[in-house]
């Protein structure tokens, strides 16, 4: 068997997330169906760098799988890309050693989150940005962002339903940009890993700070409380993108 690593992008709108489940269409299942077809009926398991929830998109999700034969890389990429559904794109494929694992060897992940703040909202962004119709003081958000940097126990920013015990993570980058038209925010978070729904809770909290319903210096206190109820609401999934995954 030959181990392949691939970088894929997908529009999460019509998926129940990445990971295979009994009911609902998933990215993993669609890729496995394509690979089974390509490998003349051989069952092939796809491993992802992590799960994404229903409605969440990816520009740089990384997967690996073991395939019965070695094929030219561009031919492999093209076959996987063109035979998969149109809401999945295969950006590149490479052969890796059997020691490579898409999930367990992740060193760093970058997520982006888009917020439509236009009046009125754009119907063309409804599946690709989370809409926020309330007033925002963007300076307050900018001042709050540095408090997220560094190594912390992010229990307050983890949704219930996570089985992970160790909630300590390191955030290397947390920034917000505004587009030229002033009607869309782009948040970028880069770290060594993120907890269940953590990015969406971070964004929900920052928007609440921008709206004046939380003080701009509240982040250290929220982190210290280790209590999900201390943080803001969970932002909608359609604004979230898995942007890039890095390995050793």
């Amino acid at each position: 068997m030959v181990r392949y690593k691939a970088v894929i992008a997908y529009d999460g709108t019509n998926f129940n997330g990445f990971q295979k489940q009994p009911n609902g269409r998933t990215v993993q299942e669609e890729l496995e169906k394509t690979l089974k077809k390509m490998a003349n009926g051989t069952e092939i398991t796809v491993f992802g760098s992590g799960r994404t929830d229903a409605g969440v998109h990816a520009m740089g999700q990384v997967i690996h799988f073991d395939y019965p034969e070695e094929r030219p890389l561009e031919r492999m990429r093209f076959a996987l890309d063109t035979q998969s559904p149109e809401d999945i794109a295969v950006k590149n494929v490479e052969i890796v050693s059997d020691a490579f694992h898409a999930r367990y060897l992740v060193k760093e992940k970058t997520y982006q989150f888009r917020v439509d703040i236009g009046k009125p909202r754009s119907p063309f962004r409804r599946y690709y940005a989370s809409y926020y119709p309330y007033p925002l003081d963007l300076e307050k958000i900018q001042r709050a962002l540095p408090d997220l940097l560094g190594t912390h126990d992010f229990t307050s920013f983890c949704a219930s339903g996570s089985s992970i015990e160790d909630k300590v993570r390191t955030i290397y980058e947390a920034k917000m940009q505004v587009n030229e038209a002033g009607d869309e925010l782009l948040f970028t978070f880069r770290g060594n890993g993120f907890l269940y729904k953590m990015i969406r809770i971070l964004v929900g909290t920052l928007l609440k700070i921008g709206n004046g319903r939380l003080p701009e210096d509240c982040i250290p206190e929220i982190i210290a409380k280790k209590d999900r109820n201390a943080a803001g609401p969970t932002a909608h999934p359609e604004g979230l993108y898995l942007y890039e995954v890095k390995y050793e």
Side-chain angles (χ1 to χ4, degrees):
M1 300 290 271
V2 183
R3 182 156 294 185
Y4 285 90
K5 170 191 175 192
V7 179
I8 64 167
Y10 49 85
D11 176 340
T13 306
N14 295 319
F15 286 113
N16 270 39
F18 177 83
Q19 193 173 25
K20 205 153 67 169
Q21 45 187 271
N23 37 27
R25 179 173 179 260
T26 67
V27 179
Q28 183 186 6
E29 187 179 21
E30 291 291 355
L31 289 168
E32 289 178 357
K33 281 198 288 202
T34 303
L35 284 164
K36 185 177 177 176
K37 233 172 13 190
M38 287 167 57
N40 301 318
T42 305
E43 296 279 352
I44 292 175
T45 304
V46 168
F47 297 88
S49 72
R51 308 166 187 189
T52 50
D53 288 330
V56 174
H57 312 290
M59 293 174 175
Q61 170 72 286
V62 176
I63 62 166
H64 86 258
F65 55 88
D66 294 332
Y67 195 77
E69 56 172 323
E70 186 171 330
R71 296 177 69 167
L73 292 177
E74 178 50 26
R75 197 181 293 175
M76 182 63 143
R77 187 207 67 78
F78 185 78
L80 196 47
D81 183 52
T82 54
Q83 293 182 51
S84 292
E86 58 189 6
D87 44 7
I88 298 175
V90 180
K91 295 168 81 169
N92 79 301
V93 171
E94 60 184 286
I95 291 172
V96 288
S97 85
D98 289 351
F100 177 80
H101 196 288
R103 182 174 168 201
Y104 298 127
L105 299 177
V106 173
K107 187 175 165 237
E108 188 178 292
K109 277 187 181 177
T110 303
Y111 282 91
Q112 290 190 330
F113 196 101
R114 294 178 178 276
V115 184
D116 178 2
I117 56 170
K119 307 266 190 307
R121 68 181 179 84
S122 164
F124 305 109
R125 284 189 195 145
R126 71 190 187 282
Y127 299 126
Y128 307 107
S130 178
Y131 183 55
Y132 193 81
Y134 310 107
L136 282 174
D137 182 336
L138 300 181
E139 289 303 312
K140 285 183 176 177
I141 297 175
Q142 295 287 19
R143 288 194 291 269
L145 280 163
D147 288 336
L148 293 169
L149 299 176
T151 304
H152 307 285
D153 181 325
F154 282 102
T155 299
S156 295
F157 294 95
C158 181
S160 60
S162 169
S163 57
I164 291 168
E165 293 289 314
D166 180 15
K167 295 190 171 67
V168 174
R169 296 291 182 274
T170 304
I171 295 183
Y172 308 119
E173 183 181 11
K175 66 177 184 179
M176 180 189 72
Q177 296 155 283
V178 189
N179 69 344
E180 248 179 81
D183 62 1
E184 187 178 87
L185 308 179
L186 177 66
F187 288 94
T188 303
F189 299 96
R190 184 170 61 85
N192 66 354
F194 295 93
L195 302 166
Y196 183 48
K197 296 189 179 171
M198 178 170 161
I199 305 283
R200 290 165 59 189
I201 298 167
L202 289 173
V203 172
T205 305
L206 289 164
L207 291 173
K208 205 169 176 178
I209 288 170
N211 188 236
R213 288 178 297 145
L214 279 174
E216 65 187 60
D217 59 358
C218 68
I219 300 266
E221 191 186 329
I222 293 172
I223 290 171
K225 280 185 176 166
K226 297 182 193 175
D227 175 9
R228 170 66 190 94
N229 297 318
T234 307
H236 292 291
E238 66 275 7
L240 182 58
Y241 297 76
L242 172 54
Y243 183 75
E244 189 179 24
V245 186
K246 286 189 175 169
Y247 296 87
E248 286 298 343

